[in-house]
Amino acid sequence: MKSGPESHWNSVYRMKTPEQVSWFQPRLEKSLELIAISGVDKKERILDAGGGASTLAGDLLTRGYENITVLDISGQALQKAKDRLGKTADNMTWIEANITKVDLLEDSIALWHDRAVFHFLTAEKDRWAYAKTLNKALKPGGYLILACFSLEGPSKCSGLEVMRYSPETLSRELGPGFSLVQSDFENHKTPFGTQQNFVYCLFRKR
């Protein structure tokens, strides 16, 4: 039986529908906007890291993107996304794995999207492992979208401590191999009426 973070997130998705988790959005408008700004070719591979039950993959497919991979630590979350998409799910790649431990092919991803995963990595060793996988898998010239709680965001989510970031501190975490293209903020209204302030950053790998 899996334990640790896998157990935590599977428990969350067993107890709640995707629409009941605090980070749920019916459509990830800010993410879709930044993906369009990147100009990534619609035939290139996009990875939604921690995509889980998010609507992003389905929305990308309807917009003509052809090579979409959804990676999440929770098999429960992935199954709920597949159930919602039906046969359309067969047109995507699904990976159940911990982003700090997964082995992805070198230079295999043109755009890496992460909304609300990186800020859960409170241990430096986990952020280092994430960055190592990111640097291996993302192509030179590829794009990274990171959406994390801002400095004005909550200090906890789903019962867990989180990190909070500004564009500058995210840039420092990533190091000199990435240049910041654009940043923005979003006040996300949760399904139960509270506010979560996110910072969105679009980076390009040098």
Side-chain angles (χ1 to χ4, degrees), residues 30-40 110-113 138 141-147 167 170-171 174 178-184 199-205:
K30 187 68 67 177
S31 295
L32 291 165
E33 175 187 334
L34 291 174
I35 291 168
I37 288 170
S38 78
V40 65
L111 186 143
W112 177 299
H113 172 268
L138 190 63
Y143 289 91
L144 164 66
I145 296 169
L146 274 182
L170 275 177
S171 293
L174 294 170
F178 287 84
S179 57
L180 180 62
V181 177
Q182 184 170 323
S183 63
D184 204 353
V199 57
Y200 281 74
C201 291
L202 173 65
F203 293 95
R204 192 169 193 189
K205 187 177 179 183

Side-chain angles (χ1 to χ4, degrees), residues 45-119:
R45 188 181 186 195
I46 293 175
L47 174 72
D48 190 10
S54 164
T55 59
L56 181 66
D59 285 338
L60 287 173
L61 200 65
T62 62
R63 284 163 168 77
Y65 294 90
E66 301 175 10
N67 193 348
I68 302 160
T69 298
V70 183
L71 184 151
D72 202 273
I73 198 169
S74 169
Q76 292 280 335
L78 293 174
Q79 189 58 53
K80 289 188 176 185
K82 292 177 186 178
D83 291 344
R84 184 183 67 246
L85 290 165
K87 290 184 178 180
T88 304
D90 296 339
N91 297 316
M92 306 171 194
T93 300
W94 304 86
I95 302 174
E96 182 183 350
N98 185 327
I99 195 63
T100 66
K101 298 176 181 178
V102 69
D103 185 21
L104 299 174
L105 291 175
E106 186 173 359
D107 297 341
S108 61
I109 295 164
L111 186 143
W112 177 299
H113 172 268
D114 168 355
R115 178 180 179 271
V117 174
F118 190 70
H119 64 211

